């Protein structure tokens, strides 16, 4: 075996040994090393305000209003362009954020500890579908939900995760692949499993028992008649929200995947991809043996299904850090485990099997944690080898949401996207130096 | 050749999927094999790949 092949086996072995456990919740400025009051984190590779796409600009605008740095969108745009604020990739801070991926200093974040290799990774709270900050929307409904998430939801689940003493995220992902999830676009099973693990502790929290509090309330009247005109307990609000949002678990899963990807980073001679991320303008990758260097090119527009009233003409190019899931062998790479996903992103169940089968062509291992029952429990294709991508002419397959290209609107669909081949060629050229 | 075209054709198509689709539309049994030249036929990239074996 060549030194490169050995290094790649080592990188993937480290990824698979990583044991990410959700241990805590904290405020970004207090818990993410290097986070500061004038810093916003965002998805994807580095980008300046003037090159940011509509949804990323929208999320920055919303973040500035949320942080009290601007009273409206016009003022927020001036503040963002003034140079007083710094913007940096979540990945530079061991964090990840879906879609725009904006993490502001006051936001609460999941804290995932790697119990095998040490260290922590982070992600923010998931807001649900449709008109949400991560898709670039920032009206009062979006901002009120963010306040509820940070001031009620996060404190309740923080207290609960302390009581349960941590939740093993790798175990949840592995089980969910046996229940029809890809753990990227379809998270019905991961969220159900997470609720099952934490619900008894949520109802035991002191915060959860409160019914009268000054913090913003969540309107549960659309969940059940029972809640109409009633002040529910915080625990009921939290559990109802978790149940209403299949993506509740996504951000914690992404931080867990970041933990696995980090474990495989920094192996000398390895040609395995350890970061894939998009900011809505560029798609970027980083490779295990090439340090912090990004290889970037313009992001493609996803092909998929659109919500009523929207079409491909509304779509922004690919955006978000959620492709960290494919980086460690789930998401689009585990499509064969999730045939029902085609209702959401298009195609047929046979396409889902084709997608997974094709990814074995460009990866170095079958995952020993994550497997697919319908493929005779074969491990998911894991560890993208830059050399194989270029040699085979096959790029990774990614499941994704689709954001509107203008700020302030939100999600308009979901589908499949491929990264540009140029970034893998650029990485290959660097590796050959 | 005459014998070949006068008997029932069963085709294995490699590379461009369009040929397989046309045959399929005409009712000819065809199995398509996805194939393309290594490194998309780019000799510079093949040299780099050789270096990274």
């Amino acid at each position: 075996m060549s030194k490169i092949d050995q290094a790649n086996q080592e990188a993937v072995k480290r990824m698979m040994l990583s044991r990410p456990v959700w241990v805590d919740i904290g405020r970004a400025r207090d818990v993410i090393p290097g986070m500061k009051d004038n810093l916003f984190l965002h998805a994807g590779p580095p980008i300046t305000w003037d090159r940011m796409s509509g949804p990323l600009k929208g999320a920055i605008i919303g973040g500035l209003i949320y942080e009290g740095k601007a009273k409206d969108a016009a003022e927020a745009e001036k503040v963002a362009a003034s140079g007083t604020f710094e913007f940096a990739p979540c990945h530079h801070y061991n964090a990840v954020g879906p879609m725009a991926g904006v993490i502001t200093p006051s936001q609460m974040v999941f804290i995932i500890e790697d119990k095998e290799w040490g260290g922590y990774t982070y992600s923010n709270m998931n807001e649900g579908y449709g008109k949400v900050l991560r898709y670039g929307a920032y009206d009062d409904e979006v901002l009120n939900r963010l306040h509820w998430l940070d001031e009620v939801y996060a404190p309740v689940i923080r207290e609960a995760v302390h009581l349960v003493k941590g939740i093993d995220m790798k175990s949840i992902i592995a089980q969910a692949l046996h229940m029809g999830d890809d753990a990227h676009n379809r998270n019905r099973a991961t969220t159900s499993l997470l609720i099952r693990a934490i619900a008894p502790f949520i109802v035991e929290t002191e915060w959860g028992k409160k019914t009268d509090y000054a913090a913003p309330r969540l309107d549960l009247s659309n969940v059940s008649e029972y809640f109409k005109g009633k002040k529910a307990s915080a625990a009921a609000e939290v559990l109802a929200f978790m149940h209403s949002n299949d993506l509740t678990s996504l951000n914690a899963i992404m931080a867990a995947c970041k933990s696995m990807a980090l474990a495989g980073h920094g192996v000398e001679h390895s040609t395995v991809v350890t970061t894939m991320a998009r900011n809505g303008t560029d798609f970027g990758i980083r490779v295990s043996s090439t340090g912090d260097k990004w290889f970037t090119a313009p992001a493609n527009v996803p092909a998929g299904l659109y919500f009523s009233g929207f079409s491909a003409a509304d779509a922004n190019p690919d955006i978000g850090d959620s492709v960290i899931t494919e980086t460690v062998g789930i998401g689009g790479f585990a499509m064969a485990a999730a045939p029902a996903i085609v209702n959401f992103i298009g195609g047929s169940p046979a396409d889902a099997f084709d997608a997974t089968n094709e990814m074995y062509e460009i990866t170095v291992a079958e995952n020993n944690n994550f497997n697919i029952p319908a493929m005779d429990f074969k491990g998911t294709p894991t560890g993208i080898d830059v050399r194989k991508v270029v040699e085979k002419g096959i790029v990774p397959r990614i499941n994704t949401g689709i954001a509107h290209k203008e700020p302030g609107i939100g999600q308009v669909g979901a589908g499949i996207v491929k990264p540009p081949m140029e970034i893998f060629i650029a990485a290959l050229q660097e590796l050959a130096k | 050749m005459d014998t070949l075209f006068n008997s029932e054709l069963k085709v294995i198509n490699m590379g461009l999927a369009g040929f397989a689709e046309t045959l399929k539309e005409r009712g000819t049994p065809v199995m398509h094999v996805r194939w393309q030249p290594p490194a998309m036929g780019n000799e510079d990239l093949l040299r780099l790949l050789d270096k990274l074996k």
Side-chain angles (χ1 to χ4, degrees), chain A residues 39-47 52 86-93 101:
Chain A
L39 173 65
F40 278 15
L41 305 184
H42 62 76
I47 189 162
M52 283 182 193
E86 293 175 30
F87 305 114
C90 290
H91 276 287
H92 290 186
Y93 292 81

Side-chain angles (χ1 to χ4, degrees), chain B residues 8-13 20 23-32:
Chain B
E8 190 194 353
L9 282 179
K10 289 178 184 166
V11 179
I12 296 172
N13 180 68
L23 287 166
K24 207 181 279 179
E25 281 166 19
R26 297 180 66 87
T28 305
V30 55
M31 180 177 277
H32 177 62

Side-chain angles (χ1 to χ4, degrees), chain B residues 37-52:
Chain B
M40 298 151 281
N42 182 320
E43 287 186 15
D44 290 340
L45 294 178
L46 281 169
R47 270 192 290 276
L48 293 181
L49 285 168
D50 268 347
K51 215 170 151 182
L52 289 167

Side-chain angles (χ1 to χ4, degrees), chain A residues 158-369:
Chain A
R158 177 176 187 266
E159 205 183 323
V161 81
H162 288 174
L163 294 177
V164 74
K165 299 191 188 309
I167 292 178
D168 183 338
M169 296 307 298
K170 202 159 78 172
S171 165
I172 283 184
I173 296 168
Q175 292 177 68
L177 294 188
H178 290 191
M179 298 164 72
D181 275 7
D182 72 330
H184 180 176
N185 262 28
R186 191 177 196 275
N187 273 296
R188 181 161 288 197
T190 57
T191 292
S192 302
L193 291 164
L194 194 68
I195 292 171
R196 208 164 78 162
I198 203 166
F201 302 92
I202 285 176
V203 296
E204 282 295 300
T205 61
E206 290 306 314
W207 228 117
K209 288 170 189 149
K210 291 182 192 175
T211 52
D212 264 319
Y213 45 88
R217 306 299 302 237
L218 187 71
D219 179 12
L220 295 183
S221 57
N222 58 347
V223 173
S224 164
E225 282 284 319
Y226 172 82
F227 290 114
K228 271 194 179 146
K230 190 178 174 76
K231 274 189 177 173
S233 67
E237 286 192 3
V238 166
L239 286 166
F241 178 77
M242 292 177 98
H243 172 64
S244 71
N245 176 21
D246 279 351
L247 297 177
T248 285
S249 57
L250 173 65
N251 300 40
I253 283 169
M254 286 170 54
C257 292
K258 176 64 184 169
S259 178
M260 297 177 222
L262 264 181
H265 191 69
V267 177
E268 196 181 6
H269 306 303
S270 171
T271 56
V272 166
V273 174
T274 47
T275 306
M276 294 198 285
R278 324 81 107 192
N279 56 33
T281 303
D282 300 320
F283 195 119
I285 59 167
R286 297 191 296 183
V287 178
S288 181
S289 65
T290 56
D292 293 333
K293 189 176 175 66
W294 287 93
F295 304 96
T296 65
N300 295 321
V301 175
L305 300 179
Y306 288 85
F307 297 165
S308 174
F310 296 104
S311 71
D314 301 306
N316 194 75
D318 195 16
I319 184 167
D321 285 336
S322 55
V323 65
I324 194 71
T325 54
E326 280 82 5
T327 311
V328 300
I330 56 173
F333 285 40
M335 279 275 277
I341 203 173
V342 299
N343 285 334
F344 192 52
I345 60 172
S348 68
D351 294 334
F353 274 84
D354 280 351
T356 294
N357 273 324
E358 192 176 47
M359 294 303 97
Y360 288 108
E361 297 282 325
I362 58 167
T363 47
V364 301
E366 292 174 16
N367 202 297
N368 61 13
N369 302 297

Side-chain angles (χ1 to χ4, degrees), chain A residues 101-155:
Chain A
V102 167
I103 298 177
T104 71
S106 301
Q107 279 186 333
M108 301 294 260
V109 291
F110 286 98
I111 303 172
I112 305 289
E113 182 179 5
D114 189 331
K115 296 283 189 185
E116 175 69 21
W117 303 107
Y120 297 92
T121 52
Y122 313 91
S123 187
N124 49 3
M125 304 295 115
N126 193 285
E127 311 156 72
Y129 293 91
K131 202 164 63 170
V132 287
L133 187 82
R134 72 177 189 284
Y135 278 91
Y138 52 77
D139 67 10
D140 285 348
E141 181 191 338
V142 173
L143 296 172
N144 286 340
R145 192 189 305 110
L146 283 181
H147 279 292
W148 179 81
L149 284 168
D150 286 341
E151 293 164 38
V152 180
Y153 178 75

